[in-house]
Amino acid sequence: MNLNRIAKLIAAGEIPLLELHAVDPMIYVVFCKEGEQLRPLHDTAGDVLKFRSRFAALQALREAGVAGVQFVHNSPYDEMIGLPSARGPGAAMREFIEL
């Protein structure tokens, strides 16, 4: 799955469920949710599509016609500051972003 395919799905009236994951402070990856599985989007060479900023990822999604995306920031620690319910390994901040 790539951004061109996402744009075609949207044009056909389908709304794919997408998540933007902050993998690293400088790496953002978009995943398409298919059932219970998350599959990363790929670039034209077939490699996992990576963005160097959240802004760049959101801009590319906006240009593809995406109306909103679930932003996920995972924490390798036992807590996420500001989210008292997010405790334990794999705690994640989730935020829906309208484009």
Side-chain angles (χ1 to χ4, degrees):
M1 180 82 65
N2 59 36
L3 284 175
N4 289 332
R5 179 74 177 131
I6 294 292
K8 288 178 183 176
L9 288 172
I10 292 169
E14 295 184 43
I15 301 174
L17 297 174
L18 301 175
E19 293 187 0
L20 173 59
H21 287 236
V23 178
D24 185 80
M26 298 280 297
I27 299 174
Y28 296 82
V29 177
V30 179
F31 290 86
C32 185
K33 190 166 187 173
E34 298 171 353
E36 293 298 314
Q37 293 187 332
L38 287 175
R39 298 184 192 279
L41 297 188
H42 293 88
D43 61 18
T44 55
D47 297 321
V48 172
L49 182 61
K50 298 175 189 166
F51 295 94
R52 295 292 177 195
S53 71
R54 180 172 134 159
F55 177 81
L58 295 176
Q59 184 65 27
L61 291 170
R62 187 178 292 114
E63 290 172 3
V66 175
V69 65
Q70 184 76 31
F71 177 67
V72 180
H73 183 89
N74 290 305
S75 174
Y77 307 105
D78 289 339
E79 65 182 45
M80 179 69 74
I81 295 172
L83 298 175
S85 62
R87 299 219 181 266
M93 178 190 82
R94 293 181 157 276
E95 170 189 17
F96 186 78
I97 300 172
E98 289 187 38
L99 304 174

